[in-house]
Amino acid sequence: RQSNGSAPVSRAEFMTPVILCILVTETAERVCYFGFRAILVLYFMNGLEFDEESSIALFAYVSCLAYLSPILGALLADGFLGRYLTILYFGVLYTVGMIVLTIGAFGTSYSTSVRRKLTLLGLFLVCIGTGGVKPCVSAFGADQVAQDSNKVPITQEQENTHESGLNNLDLASSESPQVAKDRVRAFFAYFYFCINVGAVVSIFSVPIIKANFGFGAAFCTPTVFLIFSMLLFSSKRKNYVHHVPSKDSPSLTDTFRLCGALLRHNLGSQYPSLSYTSNTHILLNTDENQNAENFSSGLRFSATGPINSGEAGMNALELDNYNRGSNLFSNVPPQQLADASQILHIMPIMFMLPVFWMLYDQQGSV
């Protein structure tokens, strides 16, 4: 049983064909990504005749672009294309890049200059392509498990006309929100397990393939896995629950702007940590999640409603300045305000991650 007393998620209920498809797709895609990276420095040095310093630098540039491009993919998915189409379009670009990379590795009859150009073009397409897959697959999978299993999937006609646009995960009335949350937790546990399986399999096997069959076969193997993953992913298109961005739905850009507004308001205020549990003052108090109110009562980066001088101990000028800032958020949807507030609170932790990843990625190049 779960710690909250609810029954655990049934594996038979959870592992639907759609969820299995997404998990296998992610595993195969990670086999591809970590597979070609495992031999990339060696390929630059031995296959393309770059010196060691240039090879390490190129590997770093590839890694940098691969981890920067997800920002573009997330913006497109959140504001324009939706997660499914973003994964599909960028996945095709990803696949084309791997095919070009493989052709360059097999093309021993080509001059070194031509092979270098093919390789760099292929890697550029791969880095852009993975930027649309990496940030969207996990969220797309969560979209599926957060819905009632009896929910009718979107039709192609509805998808084309954007009539099924959903701003948030709609929990079915036949189940409690806690059941959906348990399914999401279970999905992410399996999802990250699949990522690690894909990484281990590729890092172990691709260097062995390279040692026995050469660089061409070593790059071809991840390419085959990627083609398989994209075909499998697209095969279940009619069974997915699609969340198509609507005109009025909040986007990632809107959330970033709100974070900036909250930051400026709180840093510029003499009372940045004022927060009340009264229903009058907490914008995060919603019927869907009463815990949001309790959580927000301790947030520094929260936007409270107008208050009077007796409650806050302010003079008239201070009160006017504070309430003028609070009114900036009067038309912001409560959930979007909650998201922005929580982002600001986890940023001190997130700022530590670049240092970790800089150290972690050194093992691939030095």
Side-chain angles (χ1 to χ4, degrees), residues 9 25 28 36 69 198 259 324 337 344:
V9 177
T25 296
F36 84 82
S69 60
C259 286
R324 186 183 299 116
L337 184 63
L344 290 174

Side-chain angles (χ1 to χ4, degrees), residues 80-83 154 158-159 162-167 242-246 249:
F80 301 97
L81 297 176
R83 294 179 183 125
I154 180 178
Q158 290 173 323
E159 179 183 347
H162 286 198
E163 291 177 355
S164 63
L166 300 174
N167 294 341
H242 295 256
H243 287 188
V244 181
S246 63
S249 62

Side-chain angles (χ1 to χ4, degrees), residues 11-239:
R11 179 176 298 182
E13 176 188 1
F14 173 78
M15 283 296 179
T16 63
V18 166
I19 301 304
L20 282 173
C21 173
I22 293 175
L23 293 177
V24 173
T25 296
E26 178 63 15
T27 304
E29 188 275 329
R30 291 291 90 183
V31 169
C32 175
Y33 180 76
F34 288 105
F36 84 82
R37 276 171 49 99
I39 58 171
L40 195 55
V41 173
L42 290 176
Y43 179 59
F44 285 144
M45 295 176 58
N46 301 331
L48 300 180
E49 302 177 5
F50 285 106
D51 58 48
E52 181 178 358
E53 183 178 350
S54 298
S55 299
I56 293 174
L58 287 171
F59 179 86
Y61 297 150
V62 169
S63 299
C64 177
L65 183 57
Y67 284 102
L68 187 63
S69 60
I71 298 176
L72 172 63
L75 290 173
L76 289 176
D78 198 51
F80 301 97
L81 297 176
R83 294 179 183 125
Y84 172 78
L85 290 180
T86 301
I87 295 170
L88 185 64
Y89 293 161
F90 279 73
V92 171
L93 194 65
Y94 193 170
T95 305
V96 172
M98 285 301 301
I99 292 174
V100 173
L101 179 62
T102 303
I103 292 174
F106 269 121
T108 54
S109 60
Y110 300 149
S111 66
T112 302
S113 176
V114 172
R115 295 176 63 205
R116 286 181 176 182
K117 291 177 181 178
L118 286 173
T119 298
L120 295 178
L121 173 61
L123 288 173
F124 176 77
L125 295 177
V126 165
C127 292
I128 299 299
T130 191
V133 176
K134 193 192 301 287
C136 297
V137 174
S138 58
F140 186 72
D143 288 345
Q144 314 308 309
V145 298
Q147 306 293 328
D148 191 340
S149 58
N150 296 323
K151 184 178 179 67
V152 179
I154 180 178
T155 65
Q156 183 62 40
E157 181 181 357
Q158 290 173 323
E159 179 183 347
N160 293 336
T161 57
H162 286 198
E163 291 177 355
S164 63
L166 300 174
N167 294 341
N168 299 298
L169 299 180
D170 298 325
L171 303 179
S173 59
S174 60
E175 64 180 13
S176 67
Q178 186 60 44
V179 174
K181 291 180 180 179
D182 289 342
R183 287 207 304 268
V184 171
R185 288 194 193 96
F187 168 77
F188 278 108
Y190 283 109
F191 184 82
Y192 289 110
F193 174 77
C194 289
I195 290 178
N196 289 307
V197 167
V200 169
V201 169
S202 61
I203 293 174
F204 176 78
S205 61
V206 171
I208 296 177
I209 296 173
K210 178 265 170 188
N212 290 277
F213 303 102
F215 286 110
F219 284 123
C220 184
T221 301
T223 303
V224 170
F225 272 92
L226 181 61
I227 294 173
F228 167 76
S229 70
M230 296 313 302
L231 291 175
L232 180 64
F233 177 76
S234 61
S235 68
K236 293 293 183 180
R237 177 184 58 81
K238 295 182 179 180
N239 302 105

Side-chain angles (χ1 to χ4, degrees), residues 274-317:
L274 287 176
S275 187
Y276 298 88
T277 56
S278 170
N279 292 344
T280 305
H281 305 308
I282 298 296
L283 292 179
L284 307 186
N285 180 22
T286 64
D287 294 335
E288 296 178 359
N289 189 359
Q290 185 67 29
N291 291 331
E293 175 185 352
N294 300 329
F295 178 73
S296 66
S297 64
L299 295 180
R300 172 175 178 173
F301 294 105
S302 58
T304 61
I307 58 179
N308 58 61
S309 58
E311 291 175 309
M314 301 181 188
N315 59 42
L317 179 60

